[in-house]
């Protein structure tokens, strides 16, 4: 798989050194800009993505690179391996960024590239399902007592459901979810080598290795799993689909005000109380202790999760349903 210093190719449309992006008009709120960056990339809103990225970099400095890496694996994933590989290069190679015009120019370029790229959120739905869906409880229990080699074998077994293979891959990687201690030691190099034997492209696997070690996020391991599953579908295609309209107030698209921002949380709480139809639905179907969180999630899936250019493949809808079910 190569060493940690392996360089990955960025496209010839890299940012110019002549004209860096200008100052943006977004408010100096890092939580808002972080939310806008991800949601605008999902919606294909390249201008807002670039502005949000540049502003977030100004406010939070080098943490922008980890943020962009996670977005690339969560929202782009297997739909655009080239964009994913390029994002990893830009986010992990300071020398390349210097040659390409500096940090600000590269932030803007990467944000625009990700916004324009085809997208797939299956990696996010899969890792959330692997972590907590009740249908995989026995699988998780079994994997917890298996040696790493057996976990890798399960991850490579194409006769198993993709959800089981994804869970096995996570446990085989040795990458924990935050501060949890459930997967134990793993062998990331052997897992990725096995994926390569199955046909996953080398640059995608090298990008996965680098991002997994840099971010320590298990979602990174899901992208090769999704790539292998989607590659089996001869009819997969990218669909351009409309996203919900969103008002712009004082230069801020309101789709950025979701449960990950203070203003968004308050707005959702008020809406859930004051809108009779929503309030009645929550009263009827959700326990009182969970209504606020249900409202947050509902608003997220209605306004913040939609993708403008989505990779459609034969298991994508089923994986999404499991992920949403697990969230709720």
């Amino acid at each position: 798989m190569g060493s940690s210093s392996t360089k990955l190719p960025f496209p010839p449309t890299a940012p110019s050194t002549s004209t860096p992006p200008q100052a943006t008009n977004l408010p100096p709120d890092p939580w808002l800009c972080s939310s806008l960056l991800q949601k605008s990339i999902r919606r294909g809103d390249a201008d807002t993505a670039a502005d949000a990225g540049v502003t977030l970099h100004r406010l939070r400095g080098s943490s922008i690179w980890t943020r962009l890496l996670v977005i690339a694996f969560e929202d782009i994933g297997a739909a655009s391996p080239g964009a994913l590989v390029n994002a990893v290069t830009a986010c992990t190679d300071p020398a390349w960024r210097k040659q390409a015009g500096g940090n600000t120019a590269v932030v803007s370029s990467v944000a625009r590239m990700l916004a324009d790229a085809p997208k797939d959120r299956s990696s996010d739905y899969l890792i959330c399902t692997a972590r907590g869906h009740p249908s995989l409880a026995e699988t998780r229990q079994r994997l917890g007592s298996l040696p790493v080699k057996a976990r890798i074998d399960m991850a490579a077994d194409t006769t198993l459901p993709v959800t089981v293979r994804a869970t096995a891959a996570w446990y085989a990687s040795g990458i924990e979810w935050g501060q949890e201690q459930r997967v134990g030691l793993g062998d990331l190099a052997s897992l990725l080598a096995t994926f390569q034997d199955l046909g996953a492209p080398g640059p995608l696997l090298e990008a996965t290795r680098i991002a997994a070690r840099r971010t320590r996020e298990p979602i990174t391991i899901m992208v090769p799993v999704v790539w292998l599953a989607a590659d089996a579908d001869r009819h997969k295609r990218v669909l351009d689909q409309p996203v919900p309209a969103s008002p712009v107030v004082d230069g801020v698209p309101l789709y950025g005000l979701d449960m990950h921002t203070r203003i968004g949380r308050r707005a959702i709480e008020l809406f859930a109380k004051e809108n009779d139809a929503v309030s009645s639905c929550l009263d009827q179907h959700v326990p009182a202790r969970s209504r606020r969180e249900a409202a947050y999630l509902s608003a997220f899936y209605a306004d913040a999760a939609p993708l403008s250019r989505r990779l459609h493949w034969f298991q994508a809808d089923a994986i999404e349903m499991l992920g949403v079910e697990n969230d709720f």
Side-chain angles (χ1 to χ4, degrees):
M1 294 302 300
S3 68
S4 60
S5 62
T6 299
K7 300 297 189 293
L8 299 170
F10 202 84
T13 55
S16 166
T17 59
S18 58
T19 308
Q22 301 301 308
T24 70
N25 294 317
L26 293 176
D29 181 336
W31 292 101
L32 173 62
C33 289
S34 181
S35 179
L36 275 175
L37 175 62
Q38 185 162 28
K39 278 65 174 189
S40 58
I41 285 173
R42 288 175 183 164
R43 286 170 166 256
D45 183 351
D47 289 341
T48 299
D51 285 352
V54 169
T55 307
L56 185 60
H57 178 246
R58 186 183 306 128
L59 295 170
R60 289 284 176 85
S62 61
S63 67
I64 186 68
W65 307 120
T66 299
R67 182 73 177 120
L68 285 169
L69 276 179
V70 173
I71 290 172
F73 278 81
E74 181 176 342
D75 296 316
I76 309 301
S80 187
L84 191 75
V85 167
N86 295 333
V88 171
T89 300
C91 292
T92 60
D93 189 344
W96 185 92
R97 295 198 297 268
K98 185 176 181 179
Q99 294 176 354
N103 288 334
T104 301
V106 173
V107 166
S108 177
S109 179
V110 171
R112 288 182 177 278
M113 177 188 67
L114 296 179
D116 291 339
K119 300 165 184 68
D120 178 75
R121 284 183 38 76
S122 299
S123 56
D124 183 44
Y125 297 129
L126 268 181
I127 191 59
C128 291
T129 299
R131 182 184 182 227
H133 199 280
S135 67
L136 292 170
E138 291 185 9
T139 297
R140 289 188 291 269
Q141 184 176 16
R142 180 186 175 198
L143 284 165
S145 62
L146 287 179
V148 174
K149 176 62 168 60
R151 296 175 177 182
I152 294 176
D153 289 343
M154 282 183 65
D157 187 348
T158 57
T159 66
L160 295 175
V162 67
T163 51
V164 173
R165 301 202 304 273
T167 308
W170 171 30
Y171 274 63
S173 73
I175 298 177
E176 299 283 1
W177 185 297
Q179 298 302 311
E180 290 182 354
Q181 295 183 355
R182 75 160 80 179
V183 305
L185 295 176
D187 188 343
L188 180 61
S190 294
L191 175 66
L192 296 180
T194 298
F195 288 154
Q196 190 161 31
D197 291 341
L198 292 172
L204 175 66
L205 296 174
E206 180 67 5
T208 299
R209 183 187 68 81
I210 294 171
R213 291 185 172 177
R214 180 66 65 94
T215 67
R216 303 306 299 175
E217 292 284 352
I219 194 173
T220 55
I221 306 303
M222 298 296 100
V223 171
V225 176
V226 174
W227 189 93
L228 287 166
D231 188 58
D233 181 4
R234 299 184 198 176
H235 304 291
K236 62 181 178 295
R237 63 197 186 279
V238 174
L239 298 179
D240 290 312
Q241 51 191 23
V243 294
S246 181
V248 177
V249 177
D250 293 334
V252 177
L254 295 190
Y255 61 71
L257 300 178
D258 70 350
M259 61 183 175
H260 297 106
T261 66
R262 180 179 57 82
I263 297 174
R265 292 170 75 91
R266 181 56 179 156
I268 294 167
E269 291 169 14
L270 289 173
F271 177 75
K273 290 179 181 178
E274 297 175 358
N275 183 283
D276 291 339
V278 172
S279 178
S280 175
C281 179
L282 291 172
D283 288 344
Q284 183 176 354
H285 297 288
V286 182
R289 67 182 182 279
S290 302
R291 286 173 193 161
R292 180 180 297 179
E293 294 298 327
Y296 292 159
L297 278 172
S298 298
F300 171 81
Y301 279 108
D303 205 37
L307 305 178
S308 61
R309 299 185 65 206
R310 179 191 179 196
L311 177 67
H312 186 270
W313 57 287
F314 73 106
Q315 295 191 70
D317 290 342
I319 290 173
E320 180 177 359
M321 289 180 63
L322 281 173
V324 174
E325 185 176 86
N326 183 73
D327 275 355
F328 277 97

